[in-house]
Amino acid sequence: MAEKKEKKAKNIHEVKIEITGDEWSKKIDEAFKKVIKTVKIDGFRPGKAPRNIYEQKYGKASLVAEAVDNNMQDAYTKALEEFKGNPIVQPTVAIEKADEEGVTYVFTFTTKPEVKIKKYTDLGVKKDDVKITKKDVDAEIEKMRKEYADLQVKEGVAEEGDTVIIDFEGFDGDKAFEGGKAENHALELGSHSFIPGFEEALIGTKAGDKKDVNVTFPEDYHAEDLKGKPVVFKVTVHEVKTKVYPELNEDFFLDLGLEGVKTKEDLEKTVKESMKEQMDYQAENKYVDDLFEALLKETEVEVPHALVHEELDRMIAEYGQRLQMQGISLEQFYKFTNSSEDALKAQMHDEAEKRIKLRFAIDEIIEKEKISATDEEAEKDAEEKAKKHNMDKDEFIKAFGGIEMLKYDLMVQKVLEILKK
């Protein structure tokens, strides 16, 4: 028999499936016939021990547990037939009662919650204007010159920004400490890659100088035995080198390898176009994010916990894949950060809830506006995107998750056009 019960939240539903009486007795008999073939009981061949002997050794409760497991799928099928709804996540099951008299399965179904959107046009969101000044272009070109700068030996003393080639060895009192020695090390003064005070002490030195540099390790230094400890580094300066930036001439333009760039004016034009393209892309992404944030503020929906847990599992898997690309496993990450999966899920919880809420809002607009996308539209979109990624169209569709995912993505783009109004 089945009992359908609606809980407080309108989209959370319970269906109880009970098996009792003779039907349950048969199920327990079937459970015994199944398990007796796999257990060993002294004095009996496999599958030949009588039930009373089995129950003396393993207990009646073991047969009840076996019968509960054996009939879970059938109970689920009956619950689905009884429910007649459209669950949005995999139903959960709990055992309310299980003994020799019968079993009661409780299946919990989650359906789409009610979504209320106060408004989704006139959201008051504006796209940032993209302005690129000559100063911005000059700064970008200067960065390019720095990337192509040559280090050349310099006569005279080292200044900030120069690179010194040094030998050094660190001493704690009269004893050299581990990891404090190097030869022919190139150090850019002002890079802040050494202990505070070390680089500053070498400003004003020149090739051939020997100098004792007194510094104190920071309190948060990684080596326990050196935290907050005053030490001395014995330093020998071999060379001082300075950066020489390339002139904006034909040789530099050839090195850059930018198509059509033969003059300073060509470079400025190309850099400006590239910066505008990048800033337009960033501005559009920010605009979309701001629109979605505004939409969320106008949306009321009770996000089902089951969906949040499902989304968190997906987010953890995605995070693990990104770590794997860096050669780190999730287990290593938890160890390095003294964390755990539960702690990571706690950090991601709000984002997971926001993602689901946004999906509900988008789906609600799709339904209200009767938005759709055809297979032909998706095929055309896939072809254009595949070209941009130098991929075969079918390969791109598969990587994207299939034609239905592409159609949904197109519908989301249509929703965005509405939000922009």
Side-chain angles (χ1 to χ4, degrees):
M1 59 183 287
E3 176 191 346
K4 184 176 178 181
K5 177 184 175 185
E6 189 171 285
K7 297 179 77 176
K8 186 177 179 182
K10 291 181 180 178
N11 66 308
I12 307 296
H13 316 269
E14 282 186 356
V15 176
K16 290 187 179 182
I17 301 296
E18 294 180 347
I19 308 175
T20 57
D22 291 343
E23 184 184 1
W24 184 239
S25 295
K26 288 178 183 177
K27 300 294 185 186
I28 293 179
D29 289 344
E30 289 169 4
F32 170 71
K33 290 174 183 176
K34 181 180 176 182
V35 298
I36 196 63
K37 296 175 183 178
T38 60
V39 298
K40 290 183 179 180
I41 297 178
D42 293 342
F44 296 91
R45 287 178 295 163
K48 298 299 181 181
R51 182 163 166 177
N52 66 318
I53 299 297
Y54 170 89
E55 289 179 350
Q56 285 176 18
K57 183 171 183 179
Y58 295 102
K60 294 180 180 180
S62 68
L63 292 180
V64 170
E66 181 70 20
V68 168
D69 288 343
N70 291 346
N71 291 278
M72 183 84 72
Q73 186 59 45
D74 286 345
Y76 173 54
T77 302
K78 289 178 183 176
L80 272 176
E81 291 171 356
E82 174 68 20
F83 178 57
K84 297 177 183 175
N86 294 308
I88 57 175
V89 288
Q90 185 69 23
T92 58
V93 61
I95 308 301
E96 188 177 88
K97 170 198 170 185
D99 55 29
E100 292 177 78
E101 301 299 320
V103 61
T104 302
Y105 300 93
V106 182
F107 292 92
T108 302
F109 294 88
T110 303
T111 56
K112 181 183 174 182
E114 183 181 10
V115 182
K116 293 181 181 178
I117 306 177
K118 296 173 189 173
K119 65 175 183 176
Y120 50 83
T121 56
D122 297 323
L123 292 173
V125 177
K126 292 184 179 180
K127 184 176 179 179
D128 292 342
D129 290 332
V130 172
K131 294 180 181 178
I132 301 169
T133 64
K134 187 176 185 306
K135 186 178 179 181
D136 296 328
V137 174
D138 290 343
E140 187 64 23
I141 290 174
E142 194 62 19
K143 279 172 61 179
M144 296 166 78
R145 291 181 67 212
K146 284 182 180 179
E147 289 173 9
Y148 282 83
D150 285 329
L151 279 176
Q152 296 183 6
V153 176
K154 172 185 176 180
E155 298 295 333
V157 298
E159 300 173 272
E160 186 167 344
D162 289 343
T163 295
V164 289
I165 310 300
I166 57 174
D167 295 343
F168 63 83
E169 187 170 16
F171 291 86
D172 177 9
D174 295 330
K175 185 180 178 183
F177 55 82
E178 188 177 351
K181 183 178 181 180
E183 294 180 352
N184 291 315
H185 181 81
L187 173 64
E188 182 180 335
L189 304 183
S191 64
H192 307 294
S193 56
F194 263 51
I195 306 160
F198 186 93
E199 294 172 28
E200 292 82 350
L202 296 180
I203 292 175
T205 60
K206 60 184 184 300
D209 284 354
K210 294 180 184 292
K211 184 170 185 176
D212 288 352
V213 177
N214 294 285
V215 291
T216 300
F217 278 97
E219 293 292 341
D220 60 353
Y221 193 67
H222 61 85
E224 286 291 334
D225 57 335
L226 293 173
K227 284 183 176 180
K229 182 165 285 189
V231 297
V232 61
F233 282 92
K234 295 186 177 294
V235 182
T236 300
V237 180
H238 293 302
E239 282 183 326
V240 178
K241 294 185 174 183
T242 192
K243 285 181 180 176
V244 178
Y245 297 152
E247 296 294 327
L248 295 178
N249 56 26
E250 190 175 344
D251 290 339
F252 179 53
F253 303 143
L254 282 171
D255 287 341
L256 290 175
L258 296 173
E259 188 176 349
V261 174
K262 296 181 180 179
T263 65
K264 179 184 175 184
E265 290 72 24
D266 292 340
L267 179 61
E268 289 173 342
K269 181 183 176 184
T270 299
V271 167
K272 187 173 183 177
E273 288 172 353
S274 176
M275 290 179 71
K276 186 176 187 311
E277 185 179 343
Q278 184 178 2
M279 291 174 72
D280 277 338
Y281 177 77
Q282 292 170 348
E284 179 64 21
N285 282 346
K286 182 178 180 296
Y287 184 36
V288 170
D289 288 343
D290 291 346
L291 282 168
F292 283 153
E293 284 293 334
L295 176 62
L296 285 172
K297 289 177 183 177
E298 300 293 335
T299 303
E300 292 178 11
V301 59
E302 190 173 334
V303 177
H305 296 301
L307 268 184
V308 175
H309 294 313
E310 202 174 77
E311 184 67 23
L312 283 169
D313 288 339
R314 188 181 297 112
M315 290 170 71
I316 292 288
E318 289 171 356
Y319 192 67
Q321 288 172 357
R322 291 198 297 273
L323 287 174
Q324 201 66 51
M325 290 171 69
Q326 301 171 37
I328 303 170
S329 68
L330 271 171
E331 289 69 26
Q332 289 171 322
F333 170 78
Y334 296 142
K335 185 177 179 181
F336 295 154
T337 58
N338 194 26
S339 184
S340 65
E341 182 175 305
D342 288 341
L344 191 56
K345 282 185 175 180
Q347 291 177 31
M348 293 178 170
H349 184 275
D350 289 349
E351 176 62 24
E353 198 170 68
K354 187 160 78 169
R355 286 186 185 187
I356 296 163
K357 185 178 179 182
L358 182 59
R359 282 205 294 269
F360 278 132
I362 289 171
D363 289 347
E364 184 71 9
I365 296 171
I366 288 172
E367 188 176 333
K368 280 189 174 184
E369 296 286 339
K370 296 181 172 55
I371 294 171
S372 63
T374 64
D375 286 356
E376 290 75 14
E377 286 178 300
E379 292 275 355
K380 183 180 178 183
D381 185 56
E383 194 169 347
E384 291 172 357
K385 288 176 178 174
K387 282 180 182 176
K388 288 181 181 178
H389 293 86
N390 295 317
M391 293 173 70
D392 174 74
K393 185 185 76 172
D394 292 337
E395 182 187 352
F396 177 84
I397 291 173
K398 185 178 178 182
F400 201 85
I403 200 75
E404 292 303 319
M405 285 296 291
L406 274 162
K407 286 164 69 175
Y408 183 75
D409 185 64
L410 283 173
M411 289 190 283
V412 172
Q413 296 306 315
K414 292 177 183 181
V415 169
L416 268 170
E417 293 307 312
I418 293 172
L419 297 182
K420 290 175 180 179
K421 290 181 182 177

